[in-house]
Amino acid sequence: MDVNGDGQIDILSGSYSRMDRSMAGLFQVLWGNGKGGFRAAKALEGTDGKPLIIAVDNPKDPDLPRICTRPTAVDLDGDGKLDIVSGNFEGTFVLFRGEGRGRFAPRSTRLVSKSGKPLKVDAHSDPFFIDWDGDGDLDLVSGSSGGSVYLFRNEGSKTKPSFADSITLFRPAKHPMSPDGITLGSAHITGPGHAVRVFVADVDEDGKLDLLLGDSVTIYAPAKGLTEAAVHERMKSWSKKQEALGKEMAQAQRSKDNPRIRSAQKAYSAHWKAREKICSSDMTGFVWLLRQK
């Protein structure tokens, strides 16, 4: 997308990190250099000269609404200036008004429905704007952490958007799981899983918009020499110990006792490492095409 209107394609990204708290919520931009490449990433600034960051009012967890799952530059109000709409971990959508030429208002506001309630998905909002119903204005489509895809119809206009409450376009099938939470193999993966990201296009050129969904899945397999029954049996004990270690970690963090915290972290990490002797886990993902009927 050409964020600053200079005729060059730029790359816009949110920051998806809790490891460095100063990065939580920053928008990164790689400006096109006019030679088919991009300049080094830098924090996108508002008109006040400070890095854009999602506004948070009295949060229980200040990072949750700030971590940007997907920002997109779109002329939401039809004034000829690109705005930024971003998703976040808590599942809401925030807007930075565009001032033109890659400049944006420094404070964000939440997108709300006609009833005044924040537009929201279960978690990890994923905004994509397109005229879904063909009435000439931009509607909002979003993926989510749970795998569902939602539509918020624009019942206002191109210049004064007003979004209705969500309609579910897709909901992932539920698969039975063992008590230990491990489903071995990949035969059960027959459709999009969780952490879904959405792109909308008429892929087959039949006049109907289709959904392209990227997801995240973990495929488990028994460790060498173990049967499936043995994996499930050992995972019962592993899961029970994991729960105990998790409680100890929480108690250690509340105590603010650094040696105790380090000890708890070490034990927790070692326990996760030990799971490799029970089963392997391959984190991957797929792109799924859902054609509209």
Side-chain angles (χ1 to χ4, degrees):
M1 61 186 70
D2 183 1
V3 177
N4 59 0
D6 64 355
Q8 307 298 327
I9 297 298
D10 311 304
I11 296 176
L12 175 65
S13 175
S15 296
Y16 201 85
S17 174
R18 284 180 180 270
M19 302 305 292
D20 183 346
R21 300 186 73 88
S22 65
M23 282 186 65
L26 289 182
F27 297 93
Q28 305 286 324
V29 62
L30 288 76
W31 301 112
N33 62 13
K35 301 177 181 179
F38 301 91
R39 299 186 180 94
K42 63 177 297 184
L44 188 62
E45 296 179 346
T47 52
D48 61 355
K50 298 178 181 179
L52 289 182
I53 189 166
I54 295 172
V56 180
D57 297 316
N58 300 320
K60 294 181 180 179
D61 183 341
D63 286 340
L64 195 65
R66 282 181 173 162
I67 296 179
C68 321
T69 46
R70 180 183 187 176
T72 185
V74 59
D75 183 3
L76 189 61
D77 53 9
D79 65 354
K81 302 173 184 177
L82 287 177
D83 310 297
I84 289 179
V85 176
S86 180
N88 55 27
F89 265 31
E90 73 174 0
T92 57
F93 303 88
V94 297
L95 166 68
F96 291 91
R97 294 283 182 188
E99 303 289 345
R101 298 184 179 182
R103 298 174 302 166
F104 301 92
R107 185 170 178 83
S108 65
T109 57
R110 285 188 180 185
L111 292 186
V112 298
S113 68
K114 292 169 59 178
S115 63
K117 296 180 181 179
L119 302 184
K120 195 175 189 304
V121 300
D122 47 17
H124 295 201
S125 39
D126 173 50
F128 187 95
F129 289 90
I130 195 164
D131 185 3
W132 178 268
D133 51 17
D135 64 354
D137 54 34
L138 292 174
D139 305 299
L140 170 59
V141 179
S142 177
S144 65
S145 64
S148 294
V149 178
Y150 301 93
L151 167 66
F152 300 86
R153 291 187 186 276
N154 183 355
E155 296 183 349
S157 67
K158 186 175 180 179
T159 56
K160 293 183 179 180
S162 179
F163 295 97
D165 293 331
S166 66
I167 298 171
T168 303
L169 296 179
F170 168 78
R171 192 183 305 278
K174 292 184 178 181
H175 301 284
M177 297 186 70
S178 63
D180 53 43
I182 297 294
T183 301
L184 298 170
S186 59
H188 64 289
I189 302 175
T190 57
H194 69 280
V196 161
R197 300 288 176 264
V198 64
F199 189 90
V200 184
D202 183 2
V203 176
D204 50 11
E205 298 184 343
D206 65 350
K208 301 174 183 176
L209 293 174
D210 309 301
L211 298 177
L212 283 161
L213 306 181
D215 69 356
S216 176
V217 297
T218 302
I219 299 175
Y220 298 94
K224 187 176 180 180
L226 292 184
T227 64
E228 291 191 10
V231 169
H232 290 304
E233 186 61 33
R234 296 188 185 191
M235 280 300 300
K236 290 179 183 178
S237 298
W238 186 92
S239 298
K240 186 175 181 179
K241 185 175 180 180
Q242 180 201 27
E243 183 178 355
L245 289 172
K247 291 180 179 179
E248 167 58 22
M249 176 80 76
Q251 291 173 357
Q253 290 173 339
R254 285 195 294 269
S255 73
K256 297 182 181 180
D257 183 336
N258 288 332
R260 183 181 177 184
I261 292 173
R262 288 193 293 270
S263 177
Q265 290 174 335
K266 184 177 180 180
Y268 197 80
S269 296
H271 184 62
W272 271 97
K273 185 71 174 176
R275 199 183 70 169
E276 296 176 2
K277 296 180 180 180
I278 304 173
C279 64
S280 63
S281 58
D282 179 20
M283 295 187 68
T284 185
F286 302 94
V287 176
W288 303 86
L289 170 61
L290 279 65
R291 288 187 172 91
Q292 186 175 174
K293 295 181 179 179

